[in-house]
Amino acid sequence: MTEALLVVQTVLFGLTLWLGLYLLARERPQAPMVLPGLTLTAFALFAGLDALANYTAAPSTRFLLSGASIALAALTVPLAVAALVALLRRRRPTAWRYASIAGVVLAALGVAALLLVEEVGLRLAILPAASAGLLLLGLAAAVADAAGKGERLLPDLLRSFDYSFFVALFLGGQVAVVMFLATGVTAPMLALLLAIVATSVATQVFLGRVQDALDTIAFARLPWLRAARAELREVADVLPRANPDIDVSSLDDDEFARLTRAALSNYGDLPKLAASPLNYLPAVDARLARRGAKDDALERAIELKAVLTESILRLKPRDKGDFGTSDEWRYYNALYFPYVAGLKPFSRRANGSAGAHNDPAAREALEWFRTYVPERTLYNWQTAAARLVAQDLRGRAE
């Protein structure tokens, strides 16, 4: 029975750690993804430390491991509640709303029971139940994030799981065979097994970043090669998320405007732009056909960027110079200078943008943003301007 519990703990350690790290790696830090990711990661560490404590002979070490595992188990409950609150504030399918609530309730009850129950048979039943609740919460977060961006989730999720599972199985399985045939379950061997599983999962989830770090060493004197390889990797990573089946013409105005706002936010990042559903606009198809370009994700992202640029330039007041501060300029300024010109008016760096040096209008705009436009005001202007761009894109799509 104890060995069965160890197997369950090890499997759940790897599974919850994978999903937790997957959520943390999906996108830039934001509460609806970070909080479920931290919750699952904390629970994974609890499962690992709890298993290790049962096979540690030294009383002092066992006491420390048990205390750490209890603290991590207790931490998962407030983290799960905070993750649920952040998740409920986002739009997502109703079924996943109820699933996430049920998951947190199940996880909270399971964790409470784990802290109170010592009998192996009961823990063998409770641990999977608590894990299932947290996995449900994590999946709800991933579904909400993908739906909010108009991306596909399943191919990307399966790719990450597939890579992580087989690498962890291949490397960790060797340690498990040695434990089964020779050493038996000892604390050092179990610690090695858990470390290998954790390393395997983390390396596969953050594979792109690991490769970037290794390229920095291997191609230290070839920065152009590092940049090109990094861009190609990022495009390859977002391909499973791209959703060519989405019908952008059927989206309501609010959804279309939200996707336009997201695409504008990724204006300077072609790999991320490659995952936008707006890549399948008729205007993008037309530009690809005119150029006779290859129909792939990167080429579509390039054309989408050009289409967005055209729509932004349509906001510029005609025959009134390159920059102005009246109300008729605000939406053009809010999009053109931060995205197209690359200004960063609220950056802590002294210049805010290297591109402002040789452009008088950009320098003037940079000073105006810093002096008269609060950051929140600029954000609101960009959101309103994105709606105008969305209307322009919708009109061209029709």
Side-chain angles (χ1 to χ4, degrees):
M1 185 70 76
T2 303
E3 287 73 15
L5 179 60
L6 175 61
V7 171
V8 170
Q9 288 172 320
T10 304
V11 170
L12 293 179
F13 168 77
L15 186 59
T16 52
L17 181 64
W18 160 72
L19 186 55
L21 295 181
Y22 173 80
L23 294 175
L24 293 174
R26 260 190 74 85
E27 197 52 78
R28 64 179 66 90
Q30 47 184 303
M33 299 298 286
V34 170
L35 289 173
L38 291 177
T39 304
L40 282 157
T41 303
F43 188 83
L45 295 176
F46 152 73
L49 292 178
D50 186 56
L52 195 56
N54 293 331
Y55 289 90
T56 300
S60 58
T61 304
R62 177 180 292 184
F63 176 78
L64 290 174
L65 291 174
S66 297
S69 66
I70 291 172
L72 286 166
L75 181 62
T76 58
V77 175
L79 279 176
V81 173
L84 177 63
V85 171
L87 196 57
L88 291 177
R89 292 177 179 174
R90 299 187 64 171
R91 293 180 58 190
R92 66 190 183 289
T94 303
W96 285 102
R97 175 186 296 269
Y98 295 117
S100 60
I101 295 173
V104 170
V105 172
L106 180 61
L109 293 175
V111 169
L114 287 172
L115 293 175
L116 297 174
V117 174
E118 293 293 335
E119 203 274 319
V120 173
L122 290 177
R123 291 177 69 85
L124 191 58
I126 295 170
L127 187 60
S131 301
L134 292 177
L135 291 171
L136 200 57
L137 173 66
L139 289 174
V143 168
D145 185 64
K149 296 172 183 174
E151 298 175 355
R152 293 188 299 180
L153 173 64
L154 191 58
D156 187 58
L157 192 72
L158 290 178
R159 177 193 62 82
S160 178
F161 175 78
D162 180 61
Y163 286 20
S164 300
F165 173 77
F166 283 107
V167 173
L169 181 64
F170 175 72
L171 297 179
Q174 299 178 57
V175 179
V177 168
V178 172
M179 290 170 62
F180 178 75
L181 296 178
T183 67
V185 181
T186 63
M189 292 299 292
L190 180 57
L192 178 61
L193 174 62
L194 295 176
I196 286 177
V197 170
T199 303
S200 301
V201 170
T203 300
Q204 294 307 304
V205 171
F206 297 103
L207 183 59
R209 299 175 195 181
V210 172
Q211 290 177 321
D212 286 344
L214 295 176
D215 276 4
T216 301
I217 300 171
F219 306 117
R221 297 185 179 182
L222 298 170
W224 63 270
L225 182 57
R226 294 203 311 269
R229 284 170 55 83
E231 184 174 89
L232 290 174
R233 275 196 299 271
E234 288 186 56
V235 172
D237 286 343
V238 301
L239 280 178
R241 302 184 189 183
N243 187 5
D245 299 326
I246 191 169
D247 183 6
V248 291
S249 63
S250 67
L251 300 175
D252 60 43
D253 291 341
D254 288 341
E255 183 72 4
F256 193 84
R258 191 180 55 74
L259 292 176
T260 302
R261 179 72 173 92
L264 289 168
S265 297
N266 293 325
Y267 180 90
D269 192 331
L270 282 180
K272 289 182 180 178
L273 203 58
S276 173
L278 300 187
N279 278 306
Y280 303 98
L281 284 169
V284 174
D285 293 332
R287 290 183 65 93
L288 282 173
R290 282 199 302 270
R291 278 205 302 128
K294 183 180 179 181
D295 187 357
D296 61 26
L298 192 56
E299 289 292 341
R300 283 190 171 273
I302 291 171
E303 294 302 341
L304 175 58
K305 185 175 181 179
V307 169
L308 291 173
T309 302
E310 292 173 355
S311 294
I312 292 172
L313 292 177
R314 289 172 188 257
L315 299 176
K316 182 180 179 182
R318 295 185 179 180
D319 303 322
K320 293 187 178 181
D322 294 325
F323 174 71
T325 59
S326 60
D327 288 348
E328 63 181 337
W329 283 87
R330 65 171 56 167
Y331 296 141
Y332 170 79
N333 290 345
L335 295 184
Y336 178 81
F337 289 106
Y339 296 137
V340 180
L343 296 188
K344 299 178 181 178
F346 305 108
S347 173
R348 293 184 178 181
R349 295 182 179 180
N351 296 323
S353 173
H357 286 301
N358 301 320
D359 187 345
R363 288 199 300 270
E364 192 175 354
L366 183 61
E367 184 62 28
W368 176 70
F369 278 124
R370 288 176 168 175
T371 305
Y372 299 106
V373 183
E375 188 170 1
R376 184 64 188 179
T377 299
L378 176 59
Y379 177 85
N380 291 335
W381 286 356
Q382 288 175 335
T383 301
R387 287 190 168 275
L388 297 177
V389 171
Q391 291 174 12
D392 183 60
L393 294 175
R394 179 83 86 176
R396 293 160 69 180
E398 295 171 353

